[in-house]
Amino acid sequence: MSEELNYEELLQEFDEYVQDYINDNGYNSTHAKIAARDDFEYEMKDNDLVRAVIIMRFGELLLEEPYLLQVAPNDIHKQFNSINYEVLKSHLPYHQYQDLISRTQIVLEKIKKHPITPNNIARWFYHQLIEVIKNYYNNLSKNELNDNEIAKDILFKFHMAKFTAGEKINLYTTLAECLLQDNLIKTEKLQEAKAILQEFNPEWLGDSYTEEEKQHLFKRIHNVLERLDELNI
């Protein structure tokens, strides 16, 4: 991390940290944003400019998530309230100061209305994980990879989703849906997915998904297992 970063550089560096955590470490998007924020913790303690810019951008990116973790609004408010805005005026050109204040106010207003999840685990949210897996799958070169390589590639890319019950069952359900959709069934990973789906206990989900999301997931699991039975997999 650079010693003296200006306004635009701070914004760019924070975004790069987030993308590095996603692309290089396989973090889910919420976890990547929190990890990037934590990387700036030391600089934020004694630097109002760093704290103001990083927390503003952190808030903007968190608001792209379907839900906010319970702790996020209080953390963001606390950080904003600790900033000396007179110091910011002396360190920023007028147009950048106005941009920062305007974006900060928008973050604070949107936080009031944004849905909050009772689960404080940083994770891929239900529909979000389905979308990113399907996008990744659609961008794989099916001419260069066989069925087994495609399945292994997806499971490796999203390996961190295996560590929580909701993400894991969603991962294997979505993987099976993608492979079955294109009749890519020559892989033992479908048998692995079937075993995981058959053993799944709905109580494992806890409050990680809404009731609507749970019902949607249960229907998808049923359809996948029915299709796998038809194929004698």
Side-chain angles (χ1 to χ4, degrees):
M1 193 179 300
S2 304
E3 284 293 325
E4 294 291 337
L5 294 174
N6 64 33
Y7 182 68
E8 296 295 340
E9 289 171 337
L10 279 168
L11 292 172
Q12 180 179 346
E13 184 155 338
F14 186 76
D15 285 1
E16 288 174 352
Y17 273 44
V18 172
Q19 288 307 310
D20 285 346
Y21 275 115
I22 292 173
N23 298 330
D24 299 340
N25 300 89
Y27 280 30
N28 60 61
S29 60
T30 316
H31 194 180
K33 293 164 188 176
I34 293 172
R37 178 221 178 280
D38 289 346
D39 282 339
F40 284 85
E41 184 70 28
Y42 180 78
E43 285 76 9
M44 286 166 53
K45 284 182 179 179
D46 301 314
N47 190 312
D48 286 282
L49 175 60
V50 175
R51 184 160 65 255
V53 174
I54 295 305
I55 292 300
M56 179 275 288
R57 186 58 181 152
F58 175 60
E60 286 182 334
L61 294 180
L62 279 189
L63 286 166
E64 295 176 355
E65 302 290 328
Y67 304 97
L68 292 174
L69 303 184
Q70 278 186 325
V71 297
N74 286 339
D75 173 56
I76 291 171
H77 277 285
K78 180 181 177 181
Q79 294 293 341
F80 280 143
N81 289 338
S82 69
I83 294 167
N84 185 331
Y85 288 92
E86 292 302 316
V87 171
L88 294 188
K89 284 183 181 180
S90 66
H91 283 80
L92 289 175
Y94 178 78
H95 71 281
Q96 290 184 345
Y97 177 77
Q98 290 300 315
D99 182 68
L100 174 59
I101 296 302
S102 174
R103 291 167 70 173
T104 296
Q105 290 173 342
I106 291 172
V107 167
L108 291 174
E109 283 301 312
K110 287 186 175 181
I111 280 177
K112 297 176 184 177
K113 306 171 186 176
H114 205 77
I116 293 177
T117 173
N119 192 312
N120 266 325
I121 298 175
R123 57 191 168 85
W124 288 111
F125 295 105
Y126 178 68
H127 290 289
Q128 190 181 47
L129 182 59
I130 298 171
E131 181 180 356
V132 296
I133 292 173
K134 288 188 174 180
N135 286 341
Y136 185 77
Y137 168 79
N138 289 332
N139 287 325
L140 288 174
S141 175
K142 313 218 175 34
N143 293 325
E144 297 178 7
L145 301 175
N146 61 37
D147 304 15
N148 205 47
E149 290 169 336
I150 290 171
K152 287 182 177 180
D153 192 312
I154 292 173
L155 290 174
F156 178 77
K157 173 66 176 179
F158 298 98
H159 66 280
M160 289 190 70
K162 297 179 183 180
F163 300 126
T164 60
E167 285 181 306
K168 181 177 180 179
I169 199 72
N170 198 5
L171 166 62
Y172 277 94
T173 302
T174 308
L175 170 65
E177 287 173 333
C178 290
L179 296 175
L180 291 170
Q181 166 191 301
D182 292 332
N183 201 36
L184 303 177
I185 58 176
K186 297 177 181 178
T187 170
E188 73 276 4
K189 294 303 177 184
L190 276 177
Q191 295 174 335
E192 181 179 320
K194 183 177 182 179
I196 289 171
L197 299 186
Q198 286 176 327
E199 294 171 2
F200 171 63
N201 183 342
E203 293 183 0
W204 295 344
L205 294 178
D207 58 4
S208 59
Y209 293 149
T210 66
E211 285 304 315
E212 182 180 353
E213 289 169 342
K214 288 177 183 178
Q215 293 306 313
H216 189 265
L217 175 61
F218 300 157
K219 184 177 180 179
R220 292 170 60 220
I221 291 172
H222 172 78
N223 291 340
V224 166
L225 290 175
E226 191 174 66
R227 180 65 178 140
L228 291 175
D229 284 340
E230 290 174 358
L231 294 169
N232 295 316
I233 294 175

